[in-house]
Amino acid sequence: MSNYDSTQHVKGSSLFVDDVTAPEGLLYAAILTSPEAHGNILNIDFTEAEKAEGVKGIFSAKDIPGDNQIGGIILDEPLFAEDKVDFIGQPVAIVVAENQLTAKEAVKKIKLNIEKLPAVFDAREAFAKNELIIPPRTFTLGDVENTWNRCDIIVEHRVESGGQEHLYLETQGSLAHPTEGGGIKIISSTQSPTAAQKITARVLGLPMHKVEVDVTRLGGGFGGKEDQATAYAVMCALASFKLKRPVKLILSRQEDLRITGKRHPYSSDFKIGLSSDGKILAYEVTFYQNAGAAADLSPAILERTLCHCTNSYFIPNVKATGISCRTNLPPNTAFRGFGGPQGMFVLESAIYRAAEKMGIDPSVIQEKNLLNEEDEFPYGQKVQNCNIRRCWNQTKDQFIYDEIKSKVVAFNNSNKLYKKGVALMPITFGISFTSTFLNQANALVHVYTDGSVSVSTAAIEMGQGVNEKMRNIAASVFSVNIDRIKVNSTNTSRNANTSPTAASSGADMNGKATEIACNNILERLLETAAKELKSPGTSIKILNEKIYVDGTETDLTWTKLVQAAYFSRVNLSSHAHYSTPDIYFDKTINKGKPFAYHVFGVSIIETTLDCIRGTYEIDSVKVVHDFGKSLNQLIDRGQAEGAIVQGIGWMTMEELLYNDDGKLLTDTLSTYKVPDIFFAPKEILVHFLEDAPNPNAVFNSKAIGEPPFMYGIGSYFSLMNAMKAFRNNNHYKFISPLTNERVLVSLYAETKE
Ligand code: MTE
Ligand code: HPA
Ligand code: MOS
């Protein structure tokens, strides 16, 4: 069991956009972006840049043949700024030259005269100025207003969570070249080839059939290329279309860090009410989402925040309001978890605060309120096949939580300057795009006459192993050796009208489509076999490339059968479409059944804090996770481990800092720190919940991409517990990331409450 890309990756022979063999006449592009966060463009002077030797063309808003509009959900984002700029890094023009250095030098020669306007970077400030992306949305269940008077304990607090840089290894980039008859072909590092196709067509004023987008693989996406890869594909296409030459645009790491959107920072207020025995009776929360300067995917992300605001718990009375605030930052975008982590962090903070007030361990409240079968979420769906209590109990038993806990207490009793903390973090994550129409996928499968198989789907390989999973599925349906299966690049001419590979549902949905397509061909092959073997009415099966009649092996093999089918003029190809059944969501009342199913799991996170330095280590992360019946245990374990470390990074060390003008200060990897192997948990134990087949996804599996990210939230509370063991200072809460600096300052800050 392996991921078939790994060998190529290790040898360096995998092709990313910048590795594609340069086509004849390739030109290189660089972009001019706004140096101001908000302002009016008074004048742009290209003269000096145009005169520079080797410059082939400069294109800006005025050169766009179609619409200067790349907005996905809302049409509020120009490809190139026209008369005003709304964030630092907003593209203004693209310069094309014979080589990259010339293009970059020419960009510096453009004179851009901007009249500065006041800028807003804070979500609450934007809200006060009524700068909203969409009207506020409220999800309700029960009646919070009439519940507060029944509560024994009520606590309120503010919670802040920071943004997060995706840091995919391959920066944003694209290569475009003209095709016969005035068309264009784009090679892009995108999670959404169809979006790149559609928006290129819109900007160039072409029918979609003249735009072909091809994606071999991404050096990581993590949501950062669900919406934001489009702009670079379109710019490249525009330049190539104009110059009738191939054009390549690859962002440098620093450009990518500066100009692309990130995970949304949220600022939230909660009020939670409980009975004296720890039952949560009411929860009211308001989320201020910092959307940045354009909508991008913010409305959909906010929707998922609202959906996941009660995490793994049943709360009978909920009022959750989401406010998407327009600021002068680069538009923030999808990032693993898609708003879910931000929502869950607030509730976990609320539970922590309530537990403090009640003088009990937060896990008492967590356990008491875990979901039971058929409990209702604020979005109207009832939880089914609910495994959260199984995961909880098994986590506590398997890893002997009580022992961990008593060891932590013993350690803290015998150490003055080092303190340990431990926290439990349950997760429940809904699988499906909350926009129901996106829950569709398709696959095109060909069986060639030598018995080899080619699979093309809408799924984008970005390191998550979806291609290997498609191979597993095809090999399993046909019962042939996996080496026979090749997964092709994702191409809009083979797979049309595709949804982004996102929402953790890439393998789920494209896997189903692949299964259906393979079964279509299998059915025809079995008919052929019955004829060949002159045994109609018997049970014919393929097992490990051999054909069996009523359980008896025959001389017929996979390859011979495929050839026989070909000579009998049997169709050896199939195109199949899959749409997730029985889901719907009414956005006017915020009720429905948006998710095909939920993913469950529970983690224990142990940390050790150096109370003199404020530094800390993540000792261990121990998890029981519901993978369903895993399609590929190696890949799924890798997904869980990677997501956990990324989630811990978000909560602890990853900090985006800006100056007063909105300029990102942490725009290098020496200033924006992400977990490395030294910071990674000393131990990550991921246990697969047994006997948990999922009837709602392909081969009883479950989606894995995003859910384990949220285990990382436990690291925050684990560290809080370690801090409290040193000094019970109410200054601590609830601001993430909990950097070393923040820990140190709050450990020694004056206490006031
Ligand atoms: N794993 C790797 N290695 N690289 C990635 O970019 N993206 C994550 C997750 N795992 C990502 C990853 C995100 S945000 C999603 S939505 C899923 O993979 C998408 O793939 P899937 O739907 O096939 O799980
Ligand atoms: N998840 C991820 N990506 C998305 C979603 C979603 O629910 N909706 C639109 N894009
Ligand atoms: Mo993932 S954030 O849905 O690309």
Side-chain angles (χ1 to χ4, degrees):
M1 201 191 284
S2 69
N3 183 346
Y4 84 140
D5 267 2
S6 352
T7 318
Q8 292 194 145
H9 284 353
V10 172
K11 291 198 287 189
S13 59
S14 301
L15 295 184
F16 298 88
V17 175
D18 207 13
D19 306 317
V20 173
T21 310
E24 183 73 29
L26 179 65
L27 299 174
Y28 297 80
I31 52 176
L32 168 72
T33 61
S34 170
E36 300 293 347
H38 194 201
N40 291 318
I41 299 182
L42 300 179
N43 184 42
I44 316 180
D45 182 359
F46 294 119
T47 340
E48 289 300 310
E50 272 163 350
K51 279 198 291 199
E53 200 184 319
V55 170
K56 296 289 174 185
I58 302 180
F59 307 101
S60 60
K62 64 181 185 336
D63 302 300
I64 291 175
D67 298 338
N68 181 23
Q69 182 49 252
I70 59 166
I73 299 179
I74 298 174
L75 300 181
D76 69 348
E77 190 178 357
L79 177 68
F80 290 124
E82 271 172 55
D83 34 53
K84 65 192 244 290
V85 288
D86 293 306
F87 62 93
I88 292 179
Q90 182 173 3
V92 178
I94 182 169
V95 176
V96 185
E98 273 163 4
N99 59 57
Q100 202 170 37
L101 188 64
T102 306
K104 291 202 164 174
E105 289 301 315
V107 164
K108 293 184 198 155
K109 296 194 169 116
I110 301 173
K111 294 193 188 85
L112 180 60
N113 189 357
I114 294 175
E115 174 197 27
K116 242 176 114 165
L117 295 171
V120 174
F121 306 110
D122 177 77
R124 289 181 193 251
E125 204 183 318
F127 173 67
K129 298 197 156 114
N130 204 27
E131 283 290 341
L132 303 185
I133 300 283
I134 48 164
R137 283 179 75 178
T138 300
F139 283 27
T140 50
L141 183 68
D143 177 0
V144 282
E145 276 80 13
N146 287 309
T147 308
W148 299 121
N149 58 8
R150 287 195 287 120
C151 299
D152 301 314
I153 294 102
I154 295 178
V155 291
E156 299 177 57
H157 219 284
R158 186 190 271 221
V159 179
E160 311 282 346
S161 62
Q164 186 178 24
E165 165 56 40
H166 301 86
L167 215 78
Y168 26 67
L169 286 181
E170 181 190 27
T171 56
Q172 302 274 8
S174 168
L175 191 164
H177 62 83
T179 53
E180 182 180 271
I184 195 102
K185 180 167 176 181
I186 303 167
I187 295 167
S188 166
S189 182
T190 178
Q191 292 174 241
S192 312
T194 291
Q197 177 197 25
K198 186 171 162 178
I199 295 179
T200 298
R202 185 200 286 166
V203 172
L204 297 185
L206 293 176
M208 282 170 75
H209 69 227
K210 281 201 168 175
V211 182
E212 177 184 347
V213 179
D214 193 89
V215 185
T216 299
R217 67 167 63 71
L218 274 51
F222 305 109
K225 295 170 182 170
E226 180 175 343
D227 200 87
Q228 301 221 342
T230 303
Y232 309 100
V234 178
M235 280 178 223
C236 224
L238 172 72
S240 169
F241 187 73
K242 288 276 179 182
L243 293 167
K244 305 269 175 285
R245 294 268 297 266
V247 174
K248 180 157 86 172
L249 171 65
I250 307 279
L251 297 192
S252 71
R253 175 62 64 191
Q254 196 170 38
E255 273 179 304
D256 193 304
L257 292 173
R258 281 181 183 165
I259 75 183
T260 63
K262 318 205 179 296
R263 179 184 295 283
H264 295 74
Y266 274 52
S267 180
S268 313
D269 297 310
F270 72 76
K271 178 175 177 184
I272 192 167
L274 304 89
S275 63
S276 55
D277 65 346
K279 252 280 163 265
I280 304 174
L281 301 178
Y283 181 55
E284 187 170 346
V285 58
T286 305
F287 299 104
Y288 298 90
Q289 178 196 52
N290 190 333
D296 194 282
L297 291 162
S298 299
I301 291 161
L302 188 70
E303 187 165 71
R304 194 174 275 277
T305 300
L306 292 168
C307 283
H308 291 325
C309 74
T310 57
N311 188 12
S312 303
Y313 311 103
F314 173 63
I315 306 180
N317 301 287
V318 179
K319 182 176 177 196
T321 302
I323 303 171
S324 184
C325 309
R326 190 188 301 278
T327 61
N328 296 104
L329 290 175
N332 285 315
T333 195
F335 196 141
R336 210 170 196 169
F338 207 73
Q342 290 94 323
M344 292 184 191
F345 179 57
V346 180
L347 179 57
E348 292 302 323
S349 299
I351 290 174
Y352 194 89
R353 186 76 191 100
E356 260 181 345
K357 178 124 185 213
M358 296 167 77
I360 57 174
D361 193 277
S363 68
V364 176
I365 301 178
Q366 287 176 315
E367 180 165 355
K368 194 159 229 129
N369 293 282
L370 288 175
L371 288 159
N372 289 309
E373 191 73 5
E374 295 290 333
D375 276 343
E376 189 174 335
F377 291 105
Y379 45 93
Q381 183 163 353
K382 292 188 170 145
V383 67
Q384 275 160 347
N385 304 315
C386 180
N387 287 329
I388 193 67
R389 281 184 185 273
R390 281 182 67 199
C391 291
W392 180 274
N393 294 335
Q394 206 176 320
T395 303
K396 286 184 79 173
D397 293 350
Q398 177 113 9
F399 302 116
I400 326 182
Y401 174 71
D402 294 338
E403 204 169 278
I404 295 174
K405 189 99 212 230
S406 44
K407 279 190 185 156
V408 165
V409 172
F411 179 94
N412 288 344
N413 286 338
S414 54
N415 285 278
K416 250 192 153 139
L417 299 179
Y418 285 92
K419 295 292 177 186
K420 280 189 187 290
V422 58
L424 280 149
M425 179 68 200
I427 59 143
T428 297
F429 194 81
I431 300 302
S432 294
F433 289 90
T434 54
S435 298
T436 305
F437 74 94
L438 289 172
N439 296 289
Q440 52 178 319
N442 61 75
L444 175 65
V445 177
H446 300 308
V447 176
Y448 293 102
T449 52
D450 64 353
S452 66
V453 179
S454 132
V455 177
S456 303
T457 74
I460 299 291
E461 175 59 52
M462 50 185 136
Q464 88 281 39
V466 69
N467 282 357
E468 186 66 9
K469 288 185 173 180
M470 296 306 103
R471 294 176 84 213
N472 293 145
I473 290 166
S476 164
V477 173
F478 291 135
S479 194
V480 297
N481 191 315
I482 194 158
D483 294 334
R484 290 196 186 271
I485 322 285
K486 157 101 167 76
V487 178
N488 287 291
S489 65
T490 310
N491 183 298
T492 53
S493 300
R494 280 191 301 270
N495 298 96
N497 308 324
T498 62
S499 296
T501 298
S504 303
S505 59
D508 263 34
M509 295 198 301
N510 292 285
K512 263 287 185 202
T514 300
E515 183 192 10
I516 297 167
C518 292
N519 269 319
N520 290 342
I521 300 171
L522 178 67
E523 204 175 297
R524 297 176 212 139
L525 284 172
L526 293 178
E527 262 173 50
T528 306
K531 282 185 200 146
E532 287 293 304
L533 298 165
K534 304 198 173 44
S535 39
T538 54
S539 143
I540 299 191
K541 273 211 170 71
I542 306 177
L543 193 66
N544 297 327
E545 310 213 343
K546 297 202 178 89
I547 316 307
Y548 289 74
V549 175
D550 286 336
T552 313
E553 191 180 325
T554 67
D555 286 342
L556 196 57
T557 61
W558 167 257
T559 323
K560 283 188 201 160
L561 175 59
V562 168
Q563 281 163 5
Y566 171 73
F567 284 112
S568 312
R569 299 186 292 172
V570 168
N571 179 3
L572 288 171
S573 299
S574 176
H575 180 271
H577 178 261
Y578 175 73
S579 62
T580 313
D582 305 325
I583 48 171
Y584 66 97
F585 191 57
D586 184 340
K587 291 178 198 263
T588 59
I589 54 170
N590 299 321
K591 295 282 177 199
K593 181 178 179 284
F595 301 120
Y597 60 90
H598 293 83
V599 171
F600 308 95
V602 175
S603 68
I604 304 173
I605 300 197
E606 293 170 81
T607 52
T608 305
L609 181 65
D610 177 334
C611 304
I612 293 290
R613 297 181 179 84
T615 54
Y616 47 74
E617 293 187 350
I618 313 294
D619 301 323
S620 72
V621 180
K622 294 169 180 162
V623 178
V624 174
H625 184 86
D626 174 10
F627 291 86
K629 190 171 174 298
S630 172
L631 282 174
N632 185 314
Q633 293 206 4
L634 189 74
I635 288 173
D636 283 355
R637 185 182 292 282
Q639 282 291 293
E641 291 175 353
I644 287 167
V645 177
Q646 205 169 32
I648 293 174
W650 172 55
M651 280 279 106
T652 58
M653 70 186 330
E654 295 188 39
E655 188 175 37
L656 295 161
L657 294 171
Y658 298 85
N659 73 6
D660 291 345
D661 296 324
K663 183 176 179 297
L664 181 67
L665 298 171
T666 48
D667 62 356
T668 63
L669 296 188
S670 57
T671 49
Y672 185 79
K673 305 304 285 181
V674 298
D676 59 10
I677 197 62
F678 301 106
F679 181 77
K682 306 278 163 299
E683 191 179 28
I684 303 183
L685 298 176
V686 177
H687 184 86
F688 288 59
L689 181 72
E690 285 115 21
D691 301 322
N694 173 29
N696 299 308
V698 61
F699 288 7
N700 290 303
S701 66
K702 276 199 175 182
I704 180 64
E706 296 167 285
F709 181 94
M710 283 147 277
Y711 291 134
I713 295 171
S715 63
Y716 184 93
F717 298 99
S718 180
L719 285 168
M720 288 276 280
N721 285 335
M723 289 164 71
K724 279 175 75 173
F726 178 71
R727 182 171 166 230
N728 202 349
N729 183 344
N730 277 316
H731 238 82
Y732 299 156
K733 52 196 98 59
F734 290 101
I735 303 172
S736 68
L738 196 47
T739 57
N740 296 155
E741 291 85 345
R742 190 161 278 134
V743 169
L744 192 65
V745 168
S746 31
L747 280 179
Y748 298 98
E750 293 286 313
T751 304
K752 55 174 180 317
E753 169 88 342

